[in-house]
Amino acid sequence: MSKANDPVLQSWIPVNEDSDFPIQNIPFGIMKKGKGHRVSTIIGDQVIDIFELNKRGYLSGLDIPNSVLKNEFLNDFISLGKKKTNKVREKISDVFKKRSRKLKNNDSDRKAILNDVSKVELTMPVKVGDYTDFYSSRDHATNVGKMFRDPENALLPNWLHLPVGYHGRASSIVVSGTPIRRPKGQQIPADSKQPVYGPCKLLDFEMEVAFVVGKKTELGETINMDNAEDHIFGLTLFNDWSARDIQKWEYVPLGPFLGKNFGSSISPWIVTLEALEPFRTTSPKQEDPKPLPYLKNTKKRNYNISLFVDVIPENGEGKTVCETNFKYMYWNMCQQLVHHTVNGCNVNVGDMCASGTISGPKRGSFGSMLEISWKGSMPVDMPDGTQRKFIQDHDTVVMRGFGTKNGVRIGFGEVTGKILPALK
Ligand code: MN
């Protein structure tokens, strides 16, 4: 494990107990500064401008071109390779650890490098070239199968043999805080055979975790289980907004389309796989059936990361409607990436692969309103006396996620999105 993960490390930047960003995290993101953008990280509530850090000699010896750090996206930085980006993480850990005085004692450097998180804008961290959404939580797939197909045969025959997925749309992936407009489209009313056109009535979230590809492959090349982690840079929280009524009418036979691509929201920080190392945990047993050899998993490739979803009405108190965990994934990220490239499909730096809705075994751990309200049959009582079957106009959905070990909490920050009424 990297020395940057050492649980005894503390920073001279104050870090609250409930902060997602102790010195052991050092995630990467993009901060807008004046007219430009900077590759950044965060400790406590201080956003660190890595361009300024490099320019002022605090990353000496790493030989990183300034253009990589004065950049609208992380893609060029990620393309430096894990060996280099991990060294940046370790160097930053050194500069900000408690006993390190050089930057702490230099007022003008500190002023140029540190920014209060409440005063800066965090923008899309990566330019997403291609986006794929999987469907890898067994409880989620089982719940959906029970609701819409056959409760006795909830999983389709392929589900236990391969990580089911579809190609989504990268253009509509937005950073936390971006409002989402209620989509319009075709729906089929319950008592009708004719579709109608109008605003989606069954707007939903999906609590997901996405990984960012950190190393490209060539067309024809295949990633295997042993090298898959080399290709995963880090993780972000992912809200796969879903219009259930549009989805239901359109999805046969080719899968999700306009019910999904009107918006997906991500958290602004990419937490590296290395920072999440302490949270590695066993993966679910895959015995019946055993996956084909190319998908066989023999290591701890799941992560114990608690995930939460709050729904907050416009002028009311919010409610946590979901508490789940990334460890519930049946197919892990490595299996997803291996399967994605088994046919020779190439991946690029910045590509994003989302997990699929993450549901645990109980209602309180279901990762979508579809499941929580069981298709609308069990509404959720809100603190303001209203009820929710799905998400209403002006509601804000907030997702959070973190792991805690040895007193160190590594988190993602929030991904928030407010629903605006459909355009006339
Ligand atoms: Mn999804």
Side-chain angles (χ1 to χ4, degrees):
M1 200 174 291
S2 158
K3 65 176 179 158
N5 290 26
D6 188 341
V8 305
L9 276 182
Q10 286 194 318
S11 175
W12 50 262
I13 297 176
V15 178
N16 285 341
E17 238 173 62
D18 61 352
S19 170
D20 284 341
F21 309 112
I23 191 169
Q24 288 85 354
N25 192 340
I26 314 186
F28 295 104
I30 298 289
M31 152 176 60
K32 196 172 173 195
K33 210 171 185 182
K35 282 181 185 157
H37 292 80
R38 305 291 172 85
V39 170
S40 301
T41 185
I42 181 167
I43 296 176
D45 60 6
Q46 295 298 306
V47 178
I48 296 161
D49 182 334
I50 301 179
F51 167 77
E52 287 289 344
L53 205 59
N54 189 47
K55 204 177 88 178
R56 289 161 192 266
Y58 292 94
L59 302 180
S60 59
L62 294 184
D63 200 24
I64 300 172
N66 281 329
S67 61
V68 166
L69 301 172
K70 201 174 196 172
N71 203 308
E72 205 180 337
F73 297 107
L74 288 174
N75 299 48
D76 292 345
F77 178 73
I78 296 171
S79 298
L80 295 173
K82 260 184 201 255
K83 218 171 140 190
K84 180 76 52 102
T85 54
N86 283 335
K87 277 190 186 149
V88 172
R89 215 177 137 247
E90 279 163 26
K91 200 99 181 181
I92 291 173
S93 171
D94 276 345
V95 172
F96 290 93
K97 70 185 178 199
K98 209 148 211 173
R99 271 182 299 178
S100 187
R101 306 246 161 224
K102 195 179 162 209
L103 173 58
K104 189 184 176 190
N105 293 341
N106 186 324
D107 283 355
S108 65
D109 281 1
R110 233 180 38 239
K111 238 179 227 159
I113 290 165
L114 296 185
N115 304 267
D116 203 281
V117 69
S118 62
K119 298 205 175 98
V120 299
E121 185 187 346
L122 299 170
T123 55
M124 264 301 280
V126 284
K127 173 113 185 113
V128 183
D130 281 298
Y131 154 58
T132 301
D133 194 22
F134 285 95
Y135 188 56
S136 291
S137 148
R138 187 172 184 162
D139 285 300
H140 172 68
T142 303
N143 285 340
V144 173
K146 277 186 193 167
M147 274 185 265
F148 292 103
R149 287 184 297 269
D150 175 6
E152 298 304 310
N153 295 289
L155 293 180
L156 286 168
N158 58 4
W159 200 91
L160 290 166
H161 292 278
L162 57 88
V164 169
Y166 68 93
H167 283 132
R169 192 157 171 91
S171 67
S172 51
I173 301 177
V174 295
V175 75
S176 174
T178 310
I180 300 290
R181 181 73 64 182
R182 180 177 294 272
K184 292 184 291 188
Q186 283 198 26
Q187 305 132 40
I188 193 121
D191 51 1
S192 169
K193 287 206 160 64
Q194 285 302 313
V196 297
Y197 167 79
C200 153
K201 293 180 190 71
L202 308 179
L203 183 59
D204 203 354
F205 61 78
E206 292 189 340
M207 173 75 243
E208 306 195 19
V209 172
F211 69 84
V212 174
V213 171
K215 187 178 168 191
K216 65 177 282 186
T217 58
E218 299 300 328
L219 186 61
E221 197 184 326
T222 291
I223 294 173
N224 60 54
M225 287 300 286
D226 291 328
N227 68 12
E229 284 177 12
D230 299 343
H231 292 268
I232 299 174
F233 177 74
L235 277 56
T236 175
L237 301 181
F238 193 98
N239 183 351
D240 180 19
W241 297 100
S242 300
R244 298 301 179 196
D245 36 12
I246 297 172
Q247 183 183 358
K248 190 183 172 196
W249 171 231
E250 74 178 0
Y251 88 103
V252 178
L254 288 186
F257 186 30
L258 304 180
K260 295 285 189 175
N261 67 6
F262 60 93
S264 309
S265 307
I266 64 167
S267 51
W269 299 105
I270 312 292
V271 178
T272 64
L273 216 48
E274 288 68 28
L276 295 169
E277 193 60 34
F279 308 104
R280 237 181 229 282
T281 187
T282 46
S283 294
K285 279 212 167 62
Q286 298 178 328
E287 293 289 340
D288 185 23
K290 282 188 166 62
L292 288 168
Y294 80 97
L295 286 173
K296 187 178 160 74
N297 182 56
T298 53
K299 294 188 179 153
K300 291 181 172 178
R301 289 198 172 99
N302 280 48
Y303 291 83
N304 184 0
I305 298 169
S306 302
L307 303 165
F308 306 86
V309 186
D310 291 3
V311 175
I312 308 169
E314 174 138 65
N315 294 312
E317 194 186 325
K319 178 166 179 163
T320 302
V321 296
C322 162
E323 271 189 66
T324 187
N325 196 300
F326 191 37
K327 73 181 177 188
Y328 292 134
M329 303 300 297
Y330 184 82
W331 297 104
N332 61 54
M333 294 181 284
C334 293
Q335 291 175 312
Q336 291 172 338
L337 191 52
V338 165
H339 184 66
H340 203 314
T341 61
V342 71
N343 63 347
C345 169
N346 51 329
V347 293
N348 288 299
V349 168
D351 285 358
M352 199 166 268
C353 291
S355 56
T357 309
I358 303 162
S359 291
K362 292 188 202 126
R363 186 182 178 218
S365 62
F366 294 169
S368 65
M369 288 305 290
L370 176 70
E371 296 161 89
I372 296 165
S373 76
W374 208 258
K375 263 202 306 190
S377 65
M378 296 163 76
V380 174
D381 292 319
M382 297 296 289
D384 64 1
T386 61
Q387 289 190 320
R388 290 293 179 286
K389 296 174 180 173
F390 289 90
I391 302 302
Q392 296 183 0
D393 287 347
H394 312 292
D395 281 353
T396 299
V397 175
V398 181
M399 293 178 174
R400 293 168 288 132
F402 56 84
T404 308
K405 195 167 184 183
N406 298 324
V408 177
R409 164 166 158 169
I410 303 289
F412 292 82
E414 292 180 346
V415 49
T416 76
K418 184 175 182 173
I419 296 301
L420 304 179
L423 289 172
K424 287 271 179 321

